[in-house]
Amino acid sequence: MRILFATIGSLGDLHPCLGLGTELKRRGHSVVIASTEAYRSRILERGLIFHSLRPNWNPADSELIRQCEDLKSGPEILFRKLILPHLEDTYADLSSAAKECDLLLAGELVYAAPLVAEKLRLRWGSIILSPCSFLSAYDPSVLVNMPQLIWLRNAGPSINRAFLTIGTRLTRHWWEPVKRLRLKEDLRPDCAPLTRDKFSPNLVLALFSAVFAKRQPDWPAHTVQTGFAFYDGSVMDVDLPELTSFLAAGEPPIVFTLGSTAVSHPGNFYQASAEAALRLGKRAVLIGSGDVRMDSSQILEIPYAPYSVVFPHASVIVHQGGSGTTGQAMRAGRPMLFVPFGWDQPDNAARIERLGAGLSIARNKYSTDTAYKMLKRLLNKASFAERAAALGQALAMQNGIQEACDAVEGLVYV
């Protein structure tokens, strides 16, 4: 079969598609990934077919990332300035890519996907990476632009559903471009891109572990929760002798990272992190950093390292809280300190805190002093390490790639 993936976003959105696509190719399918031009080489080097998908944005654009990661206005900037103004371009590119395909698998930011599937009468599946994307009234999430609503978490599904309905109405005007394109293409006129249409009527892949967030009664009935779809590139081809030597030379270091997007707009994160580690008398690995102003054999700065290589050697993992990074840290079985920059990250942090495996600091509160205090708690209180280790053991029993590909093939061969 010819299977088309469509994704818009960061490497955190692309990597699950690469992981699933590589496995489906191994099973004998032809796999196409439609995404921004910036990811062309990453897709081709896996032996997969690339198809360009607008908007052709730059994932390393620090100013754009700064705007999108504003906790209050970020979602609106992403939807109304980056994605929806290019909706017709996305629709045209995806329609072209999908014409010879048997199945479409789309990330939730590809708002053209339901329209293309309807127009071409194509079976399709949704790729959901984070619990908060389900907007469950039974398991309320920390919403970046309305974080106060988390205090109603125990108010019950009726109250939570009412507030979600209000939020939907307040943002209804965002989706006028989708409505206009539907009318232009003679498709079903009514639409709810954020709360209904992003969920395929055929298959919804929840690519995160039930240990992290359990299935809820208001998830789509055809949801398959597979576990995290881990992908870390060609790990066997990565040669990092400096990192290998550093890890072997002393006690487990604290590992600091900001994923693939926040790293382009880090603020004081790396400097404060290095200073906090030294104050604790601990070694540190700073992934993505290259400009910390200190000379110490206890600090290693590297531009990149596969998380599956470095995280298991950490004492604590400090990160922004993206779904993929969180999953990798859970699999490593190490306590976490979150510094959320936006999107699903505050909710992911809250879930790990409730599981007793980590703590969180607001980005604008992160400093040498606050990092020192939080890290000291994580290092000195044994329960954090114990809970994190238990999560690691649970995830070791799961294979999200295999489960997701089995679900996809089940849909393909119906």
Side-chain angles (χ1 to χ4, degrees):
M1 294 291 176
R2 189 174 177 90
I3 300 171
L4 170 64
F5 288 84
T7 181
I8 295 174
S10 69
L11 287 176
D13 298 282
L14 176 67
H15 277 182
C17 297
L18 289 174
L20 296 177
T22 301
E23 172 60 16
L24 288 167
K25 180 176 182 290
R26 188 193 68 79
R27 296 185 183 196
H29 303 287
S30 175
V31 177
V32 183
I33 297 184
S35 191
T36 182
E37 279 287 339
Y39 298 144
R40 176 188 286 271
S41 62
R42 293 177 182 270
I43 293 165
L44 294 177
E45 71 182 13
R46 301 306 300 162
L48 308 177
I49 302 166
F50 172 80
H51 195 288
S52 183
L53 183 68
R54 291 171 286 180
N56 189 25
W57 74 296
N58 177 9
D61 185 334
S62 60
E63 176 57 24
L64 177 62
I65 290 168
R66 184 192 66 77
Q67 293 180 40
C68 288
E69 288 179 338
D70 184 283
L71 291 179
K72 291 186 177 180
S73 61
E76 184 171 6
I77 289 171
L78 177 72
F79 296 146
R80 302 187 70 190
K81 291 188 177 181
L82 177 61
I83 294 178
L84 293 177
H86 300 278
L87 182 67
E88 292 201 24
D89 293 332
T90 308
Y91 179 83
D93 293 343
L94 193 57
S95 296
S96 174
K99 283 181 179 177
E100 297 181 358
C101 292
D102 303 292
L103 178 69
L104 166 65
L105 297 169
E108 64 176 293
L109 295 180
V110 188
Y111 292 111
L115 286 71
V116 170
E118 183 178 342
K119 186 75 172 182
L120 300 180
R121 298 182 180 181
L122 181 67
R123 285 176 295 174
W124 73 290
S126 307
I127 296 174
I128 303 297
L129 302 178
S130 302
C132 68
S133 295
F134 283 100
L135 296 172
S136 173
Y138 291 86
D139 181 22
S141 294
V142 178
L143 304 178
V144 291
N145 50 350
M146 293 186 289
Q148 307 90 332
L149 294 184
I150 197 61
W151 297 109
L152 297 174
R153 178 175 175 79
N154 297 320
S158 297
I159 298 295
N160 289 310
R161 190 178 298 112
F163 276 98
L164 287 170
T165 300
I166 292 171
T168 299
R169 290 174 179 171
L170 290 174
T171 58
R172 190 163 45 194
H173 63 288
W174 293 7
W175 309 107
E176 287 300 322
V178 182
K179 295 177 183 178
R180 289 196 298 269
L181 184 54
R182 280 191 163 277
L183 290 172
K184 179 181 177 180
E185 295 295 321
D186 294 321
L187 300 172
R188 171 175 49 82
D190 68 305
C191 68
L194 192 63
T195 58
R196 184 194 64 201
D197 297 347
K198 70 181 181 182
F199 299 118
S200 163
N202 308 122
L203 173 67
V204 176
L205 292 173
L207 299 184
F208 52 85
S209 173
V211 176
F212 185 47
K214 295 179 180 178
R215 185 189 181 105
Q216 298 300 318
D218 52 354
W219 288 11
H222 40 278
T223 299
V224 178
Q225 187 171 16
T226 65
F228 291 101
F230 292 117
Y231 174 84
D232 223 356
S234 302
V235 173
M236 299 303 295
D237 298 333
V238 175
D239 185 20
L240 298 168
E242 189 178 14
L243 174 62
T244 301
S245 297
F246 184 84
L247 293 175
E251 66 176 8
I254 304 171
V255 175
F256 299 87
T257 182
L258 285 179
S260 61
T261 53
V263 70
S264 297
H265 182 65
N268 72 329
F269 176 79
Y270 288 110
Q271 186 69 32
S273 298
E275 292 172 358
L278 290 179
R279 186 182 296 182
L280 287 162
K282 300 296 182 182
R283 305 187 324 137
V285 175
L286 311 181
I287 302 175
S289 169
D291 58 357
V292 171
R293 297 180 299 277
M294 61 179 59
D295 182 19
S296 172
S297 62
Q298 299 297 98
I299 305 294
L300 176 65
E301 295 180 76
I302 51 176
Y304 167 77
Y307 290 159
S308 59
V309 171
V310 67
F311 279 5
H313 297 279
S315 56
V316 175
I317 300 165
V318 184
H319 61 96
Q320 86 290 0
S323 180
T325 308
T326 301
Q328 290 274 14
M330 289 176 67
R331 180 169 67 163
R334 297 296 184 265
M336 290 173 249
L337 177 59
F338 287 78
V339 188
F341 274 57
W343 307 114
D344 57 344
Q345 296 165 13
D347 184 61
N348 293 339
R351 292 178 184 278
I352 291 296
E353 285 194 273
R354 290 197 297 269
L355 289 169
L359 296 171
S360 179
I361 304 176
R363 180 179 55 169
N364 61 0
K365 302 290 186 183
Y366 192 77
S367 67
T368 302
D369 290 339
T370 57
Y372 169 82
K373 291 174 184 176
M374 290 290 197
L375 287 168
K376 189 174 182 179
R377 286 180 60 191
L378 290 167
L379 289 164
N380 292 341
K381 190 174 180 180
S383 64
F384 288 113
E386 292 167 358
R387 288 298 304 137
L391 293 177
Q393 291 171 4
L395 262 65
M397 306 296 291
Q398 301 174 4
N399 190 327
I401 294 284
Q402 295 292 331
E403 296 242 0
C405 289
D406 289 347
V408 169
E409 289 190 320
L411 181 60
V412 167
Y413 293 130
V414 168

